[in-house]
Amino acid sequence: MLGFLDDVFDIRWRHKLPIPIVASIPLLMVYYAERGNTHVVVPLPLRFLFGTLVNLASTFSQGSMALKSRKH
């Protein structure tokens, strides 16, 4: 999503940096409420693709690294 918005609006780095930080707040709230569990149960029709559980922490960290490695 951030990559698309960057392509459309040409967002500066000083504005791009806080967006993932703010977006991670719901994940951190779930992490705190569930005492360290960041897994999400996958709906039945999609379980053959993803399995029963998906770990959101690894998904977020991969997206953050992709944004960091992108050159302008």
Side-chain angles (χ1 to χ4, degrees):
M1 182 70 144
L2 182 57
F4 172 74
L5 292 175
D6 181 37
D7 291 342
V8 173
F9 297 113
D10 194 28
I11 301 171
R12 295 180 187 216
W13 269 106
R14 67 175 174 238
H15 298 124
K16 271 192 259 189
L17 184 63
I19 293 172
I21 294 169
V22 171
S24 68
I25 291 174
L27 178 62
L28 293 173
M29 289 172 50
V30 170
Y31 183 78
Y32 177 74
E34 293 293 322
R35 296 186 181 104
N37 185 10
T38 56
H39 290 88
V40 174
V41 177
V42 177
L44 289 174
L46 300 175
R47 286 189 181 174
F48 73 95
L49 292 172
F50 301 107
T52 306
L53 297 174
V54 174
N55 187 353
L56 289 181
S58 63
T59 305
F60 174 75
S61 62
Q62 290 171 2
S64 298
M65 293 305 291
L67 285 175
K68 183 166 175 48
S69 66
R70 185 174 167 209
K71 303 231 181 207
H72 243 287

